[in-house]
Amino acid sequence: LQIREYNGQMQGITSAGFASLTFDGTVGARVVPRTSSKVYTFMDEEQKRIEELRIWAASNLSISGPAAKLSDVQPMLFFDLTCQLIGKAKVDGSSFLLKVWDGTKCPYPTWKVPVEARDLEGEKVLLHQLRNLTVDVLVYDNHVQLAKSLKIGSFLRIYSIHTKQASADSEGVSHIEFHLHGGTCYGRGIGVLPESNSDIKELKAFLESVDLADSQSMESMSSLELDGTFHSVTDIESHLQRCQQLSVTVLTDHQDLSNTELKTILNSTAPQQYRIRAKLRTYKPQKLYQSIKLHCSKCNSLQEVPDGDEFDFILRSSVVTTPNPELHNTSWYDSVMWTTQDQKQRKITIHFVKHDEMLQQPEDTLLMIEGGTLKEVWKLTKRFKCVIPVRSTEDDLELLDLSAPFLLQGNIKYYGCKQCSTPKPITSLSSIAAEQQPSWEPTEIAQALGIELLQYVFIMRFTLVDGTGALNAYLFDYEKFFQIPASEILTNNFLQQKMQMTMNTLCPPGRKLDDLPWLECFIKSYNVRDEMKHQVCYQIFDTTIAEDVV
């Protein structure tokens, strides 16, 4: 990395061969590397270094972004706030409340997040005294864990807070909301600053000089000035109202269909297709990782994604099968076997598939492993293109129980349907190895091995309303709706954050129905019958999230 000056600022220039690991800089966040290379090592001492850098950065670096005091804020602003924490509370599973102040008063009425008094941590007397000077900051997703751990009284720098103008309540009063959205884009995060920090020394001196009696008198004054204050932001209000009329989804087909009210749909027979305009009142499951299932397109069955413990148990059980040396070093793979140095003295064998009688680069190589542990298998997936766990028989290598993944590629585990698969011997892969340019795609490997590949799919239930009625529509989607592959969501922290942010946009927590955005969707009705009953169900199709939503 070459460091140069450009337009008065330092800039890093990369060249051929450059590779990097980058990390969320937030103190206390999970240490998950984002990598520019498929091959890397990350040791315990490097994790400690990341933690040290985070602490140093919180005290010494100012992430680029306009700093502002609460007295300077305007609607539709992103800014960094240096403040003191005086209260905190859990709101729901994906959001957390921080009550902060900086000694100045926000010029607009602010949103007070509704929480139970018993759930609010902080000194009650001080919270009451500062009630006109504090603002409620709602933090989401990856910031929640850190927010929970913050100590009352600590000094914070919250990066990239978003101020939003909410529509008028039942009494006709509009207010400002403060949000720290999920993810780390634009430096979003929370830093805990030591009292030795120069900004904190200045803030402490200012807070000690604040006359709390003056802040009490502001309460009666603010209501008198309210009308005059909001005349200056009418353009912003009208812009927000227009935004609320826009749809956060995009229709990908059937543009000739016109909108149908939900009431009409509910009174119609199935099967039919409709275009609707509705709002998402609620959805299930609320824990989004629970929406990922495995689907067999042949028998149409659904099953839960097995956890790592089951895979680990199957691998450990396969260790009792001793590798068969007669199956080593064939015409299409080379084999290496060794014995571990621990008490168990496990025998591990790795078979490297060749192409044109030559071993390939690791990123192009499929290998098979016998006797490996879960940790060893995952290490291999970081280096090689594909890993298949196998065991020896008298005549050939074979797959393990189909309760385990038959293939691992990167962070993704591929499973086969037990009911529809007829596993073939591993020698069936030799036909792919003999191809001019083997791609080692999961579908091709599954077909060669007689496996009916299970596909990762999102299964969710949306409760949609449009003022004429409400219906439950199912989302059955591989990657089109969220523009996120269901196969990657369980192992990718960034994609989990993106999905949570998307759902927070479609169905913002704590909002009234009038404030929710509109969704334009295609839904189809279909009949479900069994011996006991008949019902009409609905499924979303040919609809995707607008690219600018997250």
Side-chain angles (χ1 to χ4, degrees):
L1 186 70
Q2 294 181 331
I3 309 297
R4 296 178 182 173
E5 189 171 326
Y6 178 75
N7 283 350
Q9 292 186 326
M10 303 307 287
Q11 185 181 65
I13 309 292
T14 66
S15 57
F18 174 83
S20 67
L21 296 180
T22 58
F23 299 84
D24 182 342
T26 307
V27 176
R30 289 177 60 203
V31 180
V32 180
R34 297 171 189 172
T35 176
S36 62
S37 170
K38 293 181 180 178
V39 182
Y40 66 88
T41 56
F42 185 59
M43 315 297 285
D44 290 343
E45 58 266 27
E46 291 167 322
Q47 176 158 342
K48 292 176 184 175
R49 180 64 175 151
I50 294 298
E51 301 290 2
E52 291 168 359
L53 285 169
R54 285 173 167 176
I55 295 168
W56 181 89
S59 305
N60 295 276
L61 290 183
S62 176
I63 298 175
S64 58
K69 294 185 181 298
L70 292 176
S71 56
D72 300 328
V73 301
Q74 298 287 330
M76 306 297 284
L77 180 71
F78 287 89
F79 70 101
D80 299 344
L81 177 66
T82 303
C83 55
Q84 184 180 31
L85 178 67
I86 64 163
K88 63 179 185 177
K90 179 182 178 181
V91 179
D92 57 36
S94 62
S95 60
F96 198 82
L97 166 66
L98 300 179
K99 283 184 174 287
V100 300
W101 76 311
D102 70 353
T104 68
K105 182 171 174 61
C106 177
Y108 305 100
T110 60
W111 180 39
K112 298 302 180 186
V113 178
V115 293
E116 295 286 342
R118 64 176 180 271
D119 294 333
L120 183 60
E121 295 181 47
E123 190 179 326
K124 305 304 181 194
V125 175
L126 186 61
L127 284 165
H128 181 73
Q129 277 184 319
L130 300 179
R131 66 188 182 278
N132 299 318
L133 293 176
T134 57
V135 298
D136 288 6
V137 180
L138 204 56
V139 307
Y140 298 93
D141 306 331
N142 57 303
H143 308 298
V144 169
Q145 279 303 113
L146 175 60
K148 288 179 181 178
S149 68
L150 295 174
K151 293 182 179 178
I152 302 297
S154 57
F155 293 95
L156 311 175
R157 183 165 291 147
I158 308 178
Y159 299 101
S160 197
I161 293 179
H162 183 199
T163 56
K164 297 174 70 175
Q165 178 91 47
S167 57
D169 59 20
S170 57
E171 298 177 359
V173 178
S174 297
H175 55 260
I176 289 273
E177 299 177 357
F178 294 81
H179 298 269
L180 179 65
H181 300 297
T184 56
C185 295
Y186 308 107
R188 290 182 200 134
I190 304 171
V192 181
L193 302 186
E195 295 191 23
S196 58
N197 181 281
S198 58
D199 290 340
I200 298 307
K201 288 180 180 179
E202 184 180 333
L203 176 62
K204 282 187 69 178
F206 179 69
L207 294 181
E208 289 167 2
S209 70
V210 174
D211 188 342
L212 295 183
D214 287 347
S215 74
Q216 307 303 322
S217 64
M218 288 180 187
E219 185 171 21
S220 58
M221 208 173 98
S222 62
S223 60
L224 296 174
E225 296 176 344
L226 193 60
D227 293 338
T229 301
F230 277 91
H231 284 317
S232 62
V233 292
T234 51
D235 289 343
I236 294 172
E237 288 179 330
S238 61
H239 169 71
L240 284 169
Q241 288 168 0
R242 287 196 302 272
C243 286
Q244 286 180 350
Q245 302 305 312
L246 297 176
S247 174
V248 292
T249 50
V250 175
L251 306 176
T252 59
D253 204 344
H254 318 290
Q255 301 296 334
D256 55 313
L257 288 178
S258 56
N259 287 339
T260 304
E261 292 182 340
L262 297 187
K263 179 181 178 181
T264 302
I265 296 173
L266 290 166
N267 291 325
S268 302
T269 58
Q272 293 192 59
Q273 295 183 353
Y274 305 95
R275 175 176 178 169
I276 67 167
R277 192 166 188 267
K279 296 187 176 188
L280 178 58
R281 186 167 66 190
T282 187
Y283 60 89
K284 289 184 177 182
Q286 288 287 311
K287 294 179 179 177
L288 295 178
Y289 68 87
Q290 294 177 344
S291 68
I292 311 299
K293 311 293 182 187
L294 291 170
H295 174 243
C296 177
S297 57
K298 189 171 183 179
C299 66
N300 208 30
S301 63
L302 284 171
Q303 67 179 62
E304 298 293 333
V305 180
D307 59 26
D309 291 342
E310 189 171 355
F311 184 26
D312 188 32
F313 175 76
I314 293 171
L315 286 173
R316 291 180 186 278
S317 301
S318 70
V319 169
V320 299
T321 305
T322 305
N324 182 355
E326 293 184 7
L327 302 177
H328 294 184
N329 299 308
T330 68
S331 60
W332 63 284
Y333 62 77
D334 285 349
S335 306
V336 178
M337 184 171 72
W338 70 94
T339 304
T340 60
Q341 299 303 307
D342 56 16
Q343 290 182 339
K344 295 181 179 178
Q345 293 192 320
R346 284 182 297 119
K347 291 188 181 298
I348 303 174
T349 305
I350 296 181
H351 310 280
F352 298 89
V353 175
K354 298 184 290 187
H355 179 60
D356 286 340
E357 299 185 355
M358 295 180 64
L359 294 176
Q360 304 300 293
Q361 293 295 324
E363 59 269 23
D364 298 321
T365 297
L366 179 142
L367 62 81
M368 299 164 289
I369 180 171
E370 295 183 74
T373 63
L374 184 62
K375 185 176 180 180
E376 289 160 349
V377 169
W378 279 123
K379 274 188 176 181
L380 290 169
T381 63
K382 297 184 186 306
R383 184 91 192 264
F384 297 89
K385 183 177 179 70
C386 299
V387 176
I388 298 180
V390 296
R391 62 186 167 213
S392 289
T393 66
E394 187 175 338
D395 303 316
D396 199 353
L397 300 174
E398 68 175 11
L399 296 173
L400 305 183
D401 186 321
L402 285 184
S403 298
F406 72 91
L407 171 70
L408 296 96
Q409 196 172 82
N411 288 327
I412 303 174
K413 294 181 282 191
Y414 292 93
Y415 293 87
C417 178
K418 290 184 178 181
Q419 184 173 327
C420 302
S421 299
T422 308
K424 299 177 182 177
I426 293 296
T427 49
S428 305
L429 290 177
S430 60
S431 60
I432 302 179
E435 292 176 3
Q436 191 169 359
Q437 289 185 318
S439 63
W440 297 122
E441 289 301 314
T443 50
E444 191 177 13
I445 294 171
Q447 187 175 6
L449 292 175
I451 302 297
E452 188 63 40
L453 183 65
L454 293 175
Q455 293 179 287
Y456 288 85
V457 63
F458 295 107
I459 303 288
M460 300 183 73
R461 191 182 77 181
F462 287 3
T463 300
L464 300 167
V465 296
D466 70 349
T468 70
L471 62 76
N472 291 323
Y474 289 92
L475 178 70
F476 182 98
D477 182 71
Y478 298 110
E479 63 177 303
K480 188 175 180 181
F481 183 81
F482 290 107
Q483 301 188 56
I484 297 172
S487 59
E488 297 180 21
I489 195 82
L490 293 177
T491 57
N492 190 311
N493 191 45
F494 172 74
L495 293 181
Q496 290 173 24
Q497 293 169 12
K498 182 179 178 182
M499 184 177 176
Q500 185 64 66
M501 289 169 65
T502 299
M503 293 311 301
N504 286 346
T505 302
L506 302 183
C507 187
R511 293 295 186 85
K512 297 177 182 177
L513 189 59
D514 289 344
D515 296 334
L516 300 183
W518 288 100
L519 282 70
E520 279 197 289
C521 303
F522 289 123
I523 63 171
K524 55 187 175 184
S525 60
Y526 58 97
N527 294 299
V528 177
R529 290 186 174 90
D530 59 26
E531 295 178 358
M532 302 296 294
K533 62 180 180 179
H534 160 248
Q535 63 177 346
V536 176
C537 295
Y538 305 92
Q539 182 180 327
I540 296 170
F541 72 104
D542 284 348
T543 306
T544 188
I545 297 295
E547 289 185 4
D548 58 350
V549 164
V550 179

